[in-house]
Amino acid sequence: MTAPVVEQPTDWTEPGAHPVAPGVHRIPLALPIPSLHAVNVYVIEDDEGLVVVDSGWAMPDTRTSLEGALAALGHRLDDVAQFLVTHAHWDHYSQALALRESFGTRVRIGRGERPSIEAFDVHLGLHPRQVELLRRCGADALADEIAGRPVDRSERDVPHTMPDAWLDDGERIALADRGLDVFATPGHTRGHIVLRDAAAGLLFSGDHILPHITPSIGLETEPEPKPLRSYLESLRLVREMPDTVLLPAHGPVRPSVHIRIDELLEHHAERLDVAAEQVRAGHGTAFEVAAAMRWTRRRRSLDDLDAFSRMLAVLEIEAHLDVLADRGVLDSHEEGGVRRYAVRR
Ligand SMILES: [Zn+2]
């Protein structure tokens, strides 16, 4: 049995502080990326001060919104004792760093994010490793297009530095009124973590498990070699825990983590089947397979997507093909810097 979800507004992006459980409030904050709508920040009221899970994108507007939502609960920004951040993407991490500059708030994030935080260099562009990976996928023209893209203002002007301390897999964060267990869930990023409050039946899932979208994998400064394999393992890890309420970083609160994990696992199983089918039909690179597939719920062709979405699509297919190679369904080898796949005989 999972805990009942406290009534939520129909539109999950509605500003303000929405209670989700005793002492826990969800605060949606705006983003400079319209397609994601908003990011949920969760405020936990504890005797030793406020603990906030994720923090929003560092922008003057979101700071004001967070301040206003906290004020409605009778708190101020400097009441936040610590930020626990699920991963190093701007929408989760950057506002915590900005508020640390103002108030000295303690900021913690998963240890596995260290390589990407260290490697980030605004002068190398936003997706330097992804450009190399696209070439390996046989997508040279797209790699050139991505490499030529300037880093957007909203991404250039945000703080991106080290936390005060790391969060480790298996660690228990003992607060005055509750315990939060940290689980490493690599995949969306290599250092992604989720926080579980077993007694209250809550999972702060970050972007590991989202109710409406399939999380992207490996979109970070220093991606790991097999992000989809890690992601699927991380989904199974959480699926083995007793079911709880899903508190996602984007989208509405849902009563069951298990139901959504089953949907995500099924989605990837289908995509793996379709990718294998395309290799059987003679498509040999991740780019060729992606171009032969249909994308988004509207079943659009790859060419109809913007450059960023095409990048995500091609890299996701490469990740699927690599999982198929791991499982012995496909063979892969590199030729002239391009990874080629064939059905194993
Ligand atoms: Zn996010």
Side-chain angles (χ1 to χ4, degrees):
M1 273 300 288
T2 61
V5 176
V6 177
E7 185 116 10
Q8 296 290 301
T10 349
D11 174 8
W12 71 271
T13 65
E14 193 180 306
H18 309 287
V20 291
V24 183
H25 304 266
R26 182 181 64 84
I27 299 176
L29 297 175
L31 292 174
I33 325 166
S35 60
L36 266 181
H37 305 296
V39 61
N40 289 321
V41 166
Y42 292 93
V43 175
I44 301 168
E45 292 177 298
D46 187 74
D47 274 356
E48 287 165 21
L50 302 179
V51 175
V52 178
V53 179
D54 288 329
S55 69
W57 196 304
M59 300 187 293
D61 285 4
T62 56
R63 185 178 172 128
T64 311
S65 309
L66 180 59
E67 195 167 24
L70 288 178
L73 298 172
H75 302 295
R76 305 182 333 184
L77 283 173
D78 60 1
D79 292 336
V80 179
Q82 58 175 327
F83 282 102
L84 303 174
V85 181
T86 60
H87 63 293
H89 282 160
W90 308 130
D91 46 337
H92 303 259
Y93 190 38
S94 61
Q95 181 140 268
L97 296 175
L99 293 173
R100 178 175 71 178
E101 281 170 27
S102 304
F103 304 110
T105 319
R106 182 171 161 86
V107 179
R108 300 183 70 191
I109 194 167
R111 187 178 293 279
E113 294 300 65
R114 184 175 196 143
S116 279
I117 296 171
E118 277 177 346
F120 178 73
D121 180 348
V122 77
H123 304 294
L124 294 177
L126 197 54
H127 308 295
R129 289 280 291 130
Q130 283 70 24
V131 169
E132 291 166 35
L133 296 176
L134 285 171
R135 297 196 195 284
R136 190 174 76 193
C137 294
D140 260 335
L142 178 56
D144 291 341
E145 203 176 324
I146 295 290
R149 269 172 48 138
V151 177
D152 190 76
R153 236 195 120 71
S154 61
E155 285 155 341
R156 204 176 51 219
D157 294 345
V158 292
H160 197 65
T161 50
M162 286 293 171
D164 298 287
W166 303 106
L167 293 168
D168 283 306
D169 185 41
E171 182 179 343
R172 186 179 178 85
I173 297 167
L175 305 178
D177 310 323
R178 67 180 79 224
L180 296 172
D181 292 308
V182 179
F183 293 94
T185 51
H188 177 64
T189 64
R190 61 196 284 175
H192 193 290
I193 57 106
V194 297
L195 295 162
R196 190 161 187 276
D197 181 339
L202 303 173
L203 183 79
F204 299 91
S205 71
D207 284 1
H208 178 47
I209 304 158
L210 297 173
H212 286 158
I213 41 181
T214 310
S216 67
I217 44 162
L219 181 67
E220 56 198 312
T221 312
E222 198 56 63
E224 58 163 319
K226 306 240 167 129
L228 182 60
R229 187 175 65 180
S230 298
Y231 181 64
L232 296 175
E233 281 169 7
S234 297
L235 284 180
R236 289 188 201 105
L237 172 92
V238 180
R239 183 63 175 81
E240 281 166 17
M241 301 169 190
D243 205 2
T244 55
V245 169
L246 174 67
L247 303 180
H250 307 280
V253 172
R254 284 284 155 83
S256 166
V257 168
H258 283 184
I259 289 175
R260 185 53 185 154
I261 292 182
D262 291 346
E263 289 169 359
L264 288 167
L265 287 171
E266 193 182 316
H267 164 84
H268 282 290
E270 279 171 22
R271 295 304 270 182
L272 285 165
D273 284 347
V274 177
E277 205 45 59
Q278 295 299 342
V279 176
R280 251 175 237 121
H283 302 291
T285 66
F287 178 67
E288 288 170 16
V289 171
M293 289 174 66
R294 288 289 155 265
W295 293 93
T296 76
R297 268 180 226 136
R298 295 194 195 97
R299 303 190 49 77
R300 296 161 78 188
S301 76
L302 189 68
D303 280 345
D304 290 339
L305 307 180
D306 61 61
F308 180 76
S309 303
R310 271 181 282 144
M311 173 179 81
L312 290 183
V314 172
L315 295 178
E316 187 183 308
I317 289 299
E318 192 195 43
H320 280 107
L321 296 174
D322 285 340
V323 165
L324 290 166
D326 262 1
R327 292 182 182 174
V329 178
L330 302 179
D331 280 320
S332 75
H333 70 282
E334 284 191 34
E335 207 177 285
V338 175
R339 194 173 278 181
R340 306 198 69 87
Y341 301 85
V343 176
R344 183 167 289 182
R345 306 249 167 236

